[in-house]
Amino acid sequence: QVQLVESGGGLVQAGGSLRLSCAASGNILTINTMGWYRQAPGKQRELVAIIITGGSTNYADSVKGRFTISRDNAKNTLFLQMNSLKPEDTAVYYCNIRGVNYSGYLEVWGQGTLVTVSS
């Protein structure tokens, strides 16, 4: 069994910063991609940022230049540094990993952490 534990969400004023963390543990052999997604009220879940083995990253256009995704491979931990936050960044943020464990293909979602940006 694999667990993702997220932390770091909260309430912040526009222009402020938050740092999200996601720690993965359990039956994991290899993590190929780690990513952050978000879902605002009444909207579909969308990709925020993703990082693959080797360090390549991809960001949604709406967060480029403001958010930075990083990972600690040794600790299977994912981070999202969010700067210059805007009210439209308000959403539940979900961590996602894709990889392989002893049972085969692995994909796990975190429980979500709420980020609220006030104007």
Side-chain angles (χ1 to χ4, degrees):
Q1 193 169 355
V2 177
Q3 278 193 319
L4 299 182
V5 178
E6 302 170 7
S7 61
L11 173 65
V12 64
Q13 287 189 330
S17 299
L18 283 174
R19 189 184 192 222
L20 305 183
S21 299
C22 173
S25 63
N27 179 13
I28 301 171
L29 279 177
T30 304
I31 296 177
N32 296 323
T33 67
M34 301 184 81
W36 290 99
Y37 293 73
R38 67 186 180 188
Q39 187 166 18
K43 295 187 176 181
Q44 289 190 330
R45 190 173 298 188
E46 64 176 1
L47 174 68
V48 176
I50 193 167
I51 185 167
I52 64 173
T53 303
S56 296
T57 58
N58 192 30
Y59 295 91
D61 288 343
S62 59
V63 307
K64 282 181 182 177
R66 300 188 298 121
F67 291 10
T68 302
I69 189 171
S70 61
R71 63 187 281 188
D72 182 335
N73 290 326
K75 297 181 179 180
N76 284 340
T77 302
L78 180 69
F79 304 98
L80 185 68
Q81 179 65 44
M82 305 186 293
N83 298 328
S84 302
L85 282 161
K86 304 175 181 180
E88 51 263 44
D89 294 318
T90 295
V92 177
Y93 284 71
Y94 297 91
C95 174
N96 172 271
I97 67 167
R98 296 185 179 97
V100 178
N101 66 5
Y102 289 102
S103 300
Y105 176 74
L106 173 72
E107 179 171 13
V108 184
W109 289 90
Q111 80 282 1
T113 185
L114 178 62
V115 171
T116 304
V117 184
S118 62
S119 57

